[in-house]
């Protein structure tokens, strides 16, 4: 088992655009305070922001967890549904199931998952339709 | 280069130790200790927010007095375009420039003209393939310093082209030399500045080893003399040469208008700029080509060292430029400058990640956890009475050994209450004589 020296979990409410982005912004602030390399902070900030927006737009609500080990950062996004029917399709750039209200606000371009994957050194997604989605993004520190 | 220079400083005698400046500072660079404000040099970006907000005028910008120009045999004034918006009922910029010259200068060269050149150089630069998007304007020195301290990851996006002031200074020297053949060291070049950050960028430049400018004189310092001179001019010299675009740099989004980039964003006011930089860092604007961020509301017309209300000045600049030519530099002017002056940064901009808790990650995590514990025990009112801007920063200051928990007035009150209760408890335990007798029976 990996030993993480720090862990922080944020609960994310579905559909609440007023606070959307606060968790990822707080994760970014935390990593900067810890003195993590700027390029890595930025990759994690982008991934966390995309993950948070996905939770707000698509899920029934969930959580975002950041774990810090001396040699890696791990971001875990978990939600209670509805799950992704076809992950391969969802990973395609430009594919989106975002509702109209999200698109009107400039979200839902269908780049979220592919952006996250680009930022990650290891990317893992598991989803069960009707149950929920769990996403893991790992970025190496060394 | 070691050491710090800051134009923004404290007049200790005037400081009452209130919480106005600590709460407004965008880099949390001020604390109140022993009843007086203290600026943390590593963090200060010279934006001048504290100058604006201090009700006791204890925060000041150190600039050069007008008399300092006489250290030089020949003296050139470089007025910032923001100067043009300071005067009522002046429809011809040459009145302002002629009056300025009569204050003791041999020549006046507009920074707005330098802005015309800067625009041409930046246009060329933006054609480069492979530069990071969005390109971030380097015009506002406070914003460049803000990026060094809070957004080091965006340093690579900063346009590495010399500021209008530095370009104007070199061209002014060149011109003066060609006309009069004066020796380089006999010519003093002085920027007429609307802000403290420019003073700092002369004394401690970014992107180069040494500034071509010798000093900065605050608009506020010469406003009175200039205003009366304008009403009392013997002759008007034709010194105005900049285009409407160059003069328009005084206002927010003026630089973008001059560049005529299509996908740009111009933001003024330092808190607004911070907000947008956060979003740029999160890749929220992948289609953005150019970002102009100015620390002062309205742009340079809103600088802390200006006299006129920034909104009024902004309108005046607009009225002036509406009636001016909208031309660009000629190819000849551009080529001549390109080959004869330094227009690109010669040194990399260095990050200054002073906000981090520790160089060692494990230690930083320990400090962070301790900080969280302390923060959770604080009242969360962010009152500032402790001298730190908010409870979170106090927690950080405690962890870094710069403050103690009892600096919090609420914590102190709790502690006093505990002690008082202990005293009462103790008082009740002291046996009175009679008590003692009763007990022994």
């Amino acid at each position: 088992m990996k030993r993480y020296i720090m862990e922080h979990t944020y609960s994310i409410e579905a559909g609440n655009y007023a606070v959307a982005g606060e968790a990822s912004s707080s994760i970014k602030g935390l990593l900067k305070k810890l003195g993590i390399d700027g390029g890595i902070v930025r990759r994690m900030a982008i991934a966390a922001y995309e993950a948070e927006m996905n939770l707000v737009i698509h899920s029934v609500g969930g959580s975002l967890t950041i774990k810090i080990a001396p040699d890696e950062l791990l971001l875990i996004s978990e939600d209670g549904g509805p799950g992704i029917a076809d992950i391969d399709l969802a990973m395609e750039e430009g594919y989106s199931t975002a509702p109209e209200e999200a698109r009107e606000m400039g979200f839902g371009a269908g780049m979220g998952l592919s952006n996250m994957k680009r930022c990650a050194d290891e990317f893992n997604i598991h989803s069960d339709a009707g149950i929920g989605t769990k996403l893991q993004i790992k970025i190496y520190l060394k | 280069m070691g050491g710090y220079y800051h134009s923004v400083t404290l007049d200790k005698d005037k400081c009452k130790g209130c919480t106005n400046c600590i709460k407004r500072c965008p880099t949390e660079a001020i604390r109140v200790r022993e009843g007086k404000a203290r600026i943390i040099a590593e963090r200060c970006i010279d934006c001048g927010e504290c100058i604006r907000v201090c009700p006791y005028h204890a925060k000041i910008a150190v600039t050069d007095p007008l008399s300092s120009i006489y250290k030089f045999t020949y003296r050139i004034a470089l007025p910032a375009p923001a100067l043009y918006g300071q005067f009522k009922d002046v429809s011809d910029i040459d009145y302002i420039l002629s009056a300025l010259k009569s204050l003791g200068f041999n020549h006046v060269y507009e920074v707005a003209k330098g802005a015309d050149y800067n625009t041409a150089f930046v246009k060329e630069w933006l054609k480069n393939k492979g530069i990071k998007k969005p390109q971030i304007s380097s015009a506002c020195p406070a914003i460049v310093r803000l990026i060094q301290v809070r957004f080091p990851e965006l340093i690579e996006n900063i346009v590495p082209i010399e500021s209008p002031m530095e370009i104007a200074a070199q061209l002014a020297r060149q011109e003066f030399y060609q006309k009069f053949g004066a020796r380089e060291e006999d010519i003093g070049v002085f920027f007429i500045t609307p802000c403290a950050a420019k003073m700092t960028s002369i004394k401690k430049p970014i992107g180069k080893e040494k500034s071509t400018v010798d000093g900065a004189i605050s608009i506020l310092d010469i406003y009175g003399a200039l205003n009366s001179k304008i009403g009392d001019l013997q002759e008007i010299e034709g010194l105005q040469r900049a285009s409407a675009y160059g003069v328009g740099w005084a206002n927010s989004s003026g630089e973008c208008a001059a560049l005529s980039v299509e996908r740009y964003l111009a933001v003024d006011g330092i808190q607004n700029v911070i907000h947008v930089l956060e979003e740029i860092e999160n890749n929220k604007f992948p289609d953005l080509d150019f970002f102009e961020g100015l620390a002062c509301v309205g742009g340079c017309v809103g600088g802390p060292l200006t006299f006129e209300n920034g909104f009024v000045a902004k309108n005046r600049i607009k009225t002036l430029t509406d009636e001016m030519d909208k031309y660009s530099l000629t190819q000849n002017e551009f080529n001549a400058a390109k080959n004869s002056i330094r227009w690109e940064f010669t040194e990399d901009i260095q990050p200054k990640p002073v906000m981090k808790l520790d160089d060692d990650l494990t230690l930083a995590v320990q400090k962070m956890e301790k900080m969280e514990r302390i923060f959770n025990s604080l009242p969360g009112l962010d009152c500032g009475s402790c001298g730190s801007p908010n409870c979170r920063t106090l927690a950080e200051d405690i962890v870094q050994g710069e403050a103690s928990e009892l600096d919090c007035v609420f914590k102190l009150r709790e502690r006093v209450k505990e002690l008082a209760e202990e005293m009462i408890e103790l008082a009740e335990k002291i046996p009175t004589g009679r008590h003692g007798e009763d007990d022994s029976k």
Side-chain angles (χ1 to χ4, degrees):
Chain A
M1 263 313 261
K2 186 99 209 157
R3 275 206 47 201
Y4 292 99
I5 49 178
M6 190 172 195
E7 180 174 334
H8 212 86
T9 297
Y10 304 81
S11 135
I12 312 293
E13 204 184 321
N16 190 348
Y17 290 93
V19 299
E22 278 185 11
S24 46
S25 162
S26 157
I27 289 173
K28 182 164 81 176
L30 174 80
L31 298 178
K32 280 189 180 181
K33 273 261 177 262
L34 292 178
I36 308 259
D37 170 79
I40 290 173
V41 172
R42 196 168 181 204
R43 277 160 67 203
M44 188 48 97
I46 293 168
Y49 180 74
E50 295 287 2
E52 183 176 7
M53 291 319 296
N54 275 351
L55 289 171
V56 173
I57 298 168
H58 300 285
S59 84
V60 298
S63 68
L64 212 54
T65 300
I66 180 80
K67 294 185 178 194
I68 297 154
D71 57 351
E72 70 174 45
L73 302 176
L74 177 65
L75 181 81
I76 302 167
S77 163
E78 272 178 299
D79 64 50
I84 302 169
D86 185 339
I87 290 182
D88 289 338
L89 190 59
M91 289 298 298
E92 273 179 29
E93 293 191 1
Y95 177 80
S96 174
T97 59
E100 197 52 39
E101 56 154 16
R103 287 169 194 262
E104 277 170 4
M105 296 174 82
F107 300 109
M111 299 298 289
L113 286 175
S114 48
N115 269 347
M116 272 184 254
K117 193 174 176 184
R118 236 196 310 277
C119 292
D121 288 318
E122 286 179 39
F123 180 82
N124 212 307
I125 181 165
H126 183 84
S127 188
D128 290 309
I131 296 171
T133 303
K134 182 171 179 178
L135 208 134
Q136 290 188 304
I137 288 150
K138 199 177 276 185
I139 298 179
Y140 307 141
L141 289 179
K142 281 164 188 166
Chain B
M1 277 209 289
Y4 295 90
Y5 170 87
H6 288 294
S7 169
V8 175
T9 39
L10 179 78
D11 181 343
K12 238 183 170 172
D13 295 336
K14 286 186 180 167
C15 178
K16 296 252 191 285
C18 73
T19 61
N20 283 295
C21 61
I22 56 172
K23 299 203 75 78
R24 223 3 215 281
C25 176
T27 53
E28 294 179 341
I30 315 173
R31 302 288 185 273
V32 176
R33 296 284 179 253
E34 287 156 13
K36 301 284 177 192
R38 194 167 59 82
I39 304 171
I40 304 168
E42 299 93 302
R43 290 191 179 197
C44 175
I45 57 170
D46 286 285
C47 65
E49 283 295 301
C50 54
I51 296 178
R52 241 189 287 270
V53 78
C54 178
Y56 308 105
H57 306 291
K59 287 284 170 40
I60 44 175
V62 175
T63 49
D64 296 306
L66 184 59
S67 59
S68 70
I69 66 173
Y70 292 103
K71 282 186 291 191
F72 295 89
T73 320
Y74 304 102
R75 303 161 295 272
I76 305 175
L78 302 180
L83 180 72
Y84 307 165
Q86 300 297 306
F87 309 97
K88 216 176 151 194
D89 301 326
V90 177
S91 56
D92 185 347
I93 293 171
D94 273 331
Y95 277 72
I96 301 167
L97 301 180
S98 300
L100 177 60
K101 191 177 167 188
S102 74
L103 292 186
F105 294 97
N106 303 88
H107 188 39
V108 174
Y109 193 101
E110 294 177 277
V111 171
K113 184 72 185 172
D116 284 335
Y117 280 97
N118 171 287
T119 299
F121 287 125
V122 175
K123 271 185 181 167
E124 286 286 305
W125 168 257
L126 291 177
K127 287 182 194 157
N128 281 326
K129 300 264 181 288
I131 50 173
K132 294 219 170 183
K133 293 287 172 73
Q135 281 291 298
I136 299 176
S137 162
S138 51
C140 178
I143 298 302
V144 173
R145 283 164 207 273
L146 173 75
I147 291 173
Q148 283 182 297
V149 171
R150 281 190 59 169
F151 303 95
E153 203 42 40
L154 295 177
I155 285 178
E156 287 179 27
N157 295 56
I158 296 174
V159 177
I161 305 290
E162 279 299 355
S163 68
M165 176 185 79
E166 290 292 339
I167 292 176
Q170 296 176 69
L171 291 171
R173 280 179 181 281
Q174 213 177 67
E175 212 173 79
F176 197 80
Y177 174 76
Q178 278 158 10
K179 256 192 204 158
F180 303 102
R183 289 190 311 168
E184 176 77 6
E185 61 267 35
D186 290 337
I187 306 172
V189 178
F190 292 86
F191 181 56
I192 311 300
T193 185
C195 75
K198 273 292 188 191
M199 176 70 179
T200 304
S201 67
I202 292 167
K203 299 277 177 199
K204 257 316 188 190
I206 291 172
K208 63 193 141 300
E209 207 189 324
K210 197 176 176 301
S211 171
T212 322
V213 184
D214 298 293
I217 295 159
S218 150
I219 288 180
L220 267 180
D221 280 354
I222 57 166
Y223 174 81
L226 210 46
N227 202 25
S228 51
K229 267 278 188 310
I230 289 172
D232 185 29
L233 273 175
Q234 304 302 319
E235 58 173 323
I236 314 298
E237 206 179 324
L239 295 162
Q240 207 283 312
R241 292 182 292 177
S243 78
Y245 289 125
V247 175
W249 272 61
N251 290 352
S252 169
S253 86
E255 182 184 1
C256 286
L259 280 172
S260 67
V261 271
E262 234 170 83
R263 291 175 299 190
Y264 76 86
L265 195 59
V267 178
D268 55 323
I270 196 151
Q271 293 301 342
N272 299 330
V273 173
I274 288 172
H275 197 76
V276 176
L277 288 176
E278 287 279 358
E279 299 195 310
I280 288 176
E281 209 177 33
N282 288 355
N283 267 15
K284 223 185 150 184
F285 310 116
D287 299 327
L288 194 62
D289 285 333
F290 192 82
F291 175 70
E292 172 194 326
L294 299 173
C296 297
V297 172
C300 303
V301 284
L305 304 183
T306 57
F307 174 80
E308 186 58 277
N309 174 306
F311 298 98
V312 173
K314 193 173 180 179
N315 268 347
R316 287 199 191 129
I317 296 286
K318 193 162 177 311
T319 311
L320 283 171
T321 52
D322 278 348
E323 285 165 16
M324 288 171 65
D325 287 338
K326 286 198 161 53
Y327 69 91
S328 306
L329 286 185
T330 65
Q331 195 61 40
N332 276 347
E333 279 182 302
F334 176 70
N335 288 341
K338 195 174 180 180
N339 296 323
S340 64
I341 64 165
R342 186 193 66 224
W343 50 274
E344 265 186 305
F345 286 173
T346 49
E347 288 180 2
D348 288 340
I349 302 173
Q350 297 302 327
K352 284 190 195 164
V354 293
M355 311 297 272
K356 66 178 172 188
L357 288 170
D358 205 288
D359 289 330
D360 179 275
L361 178 61
T362 312
L363 284 176
V365 165
Q366 283 168 9
K367 284 184 179 175
M368 178 65 84
E369 278 166 352
K370 195 172 166 203
M371 209 175 115
E372 284 299 316
R373 271 200 308 277
I374 296 169
F375 173 68
N376 288 330
S377 78
L378 293 173
L381 289 174
D382 293 340
C383 69
S385 302
C386 58
S388 300
N390 49 53
C391 295
R392 188 162 284 285
T393 318
L394 174 62
E396 187 179 335
D397 289 344
I398 294 170
V399 166
Q400 298 290 33
E402 306 282 340
S404 95
E405 221 154 319
L406 292 183
D407 286 332
C408 171
V409 286
F410 296 92
K411 282 276 169 193
L412 183 66
R413 195 172 65 178
E414 252 172 53
R415 186 85 185 95
V416 169
K417 189 170 166 246
E418 279 169 20
L419 280 176
E421 280 168 0
E422 257 175 62
M423 297 253 284
I424 292 168
E425 223 174 278
L426 275 176
E428 279 169 355
K429 278 183 183 153
I430 294 171
T432 59
R434 235 190 26 210
H435 228 109
E437 278 170 29
D438 286 346
D439 279 351
S440 65
K441 274 180 186 168

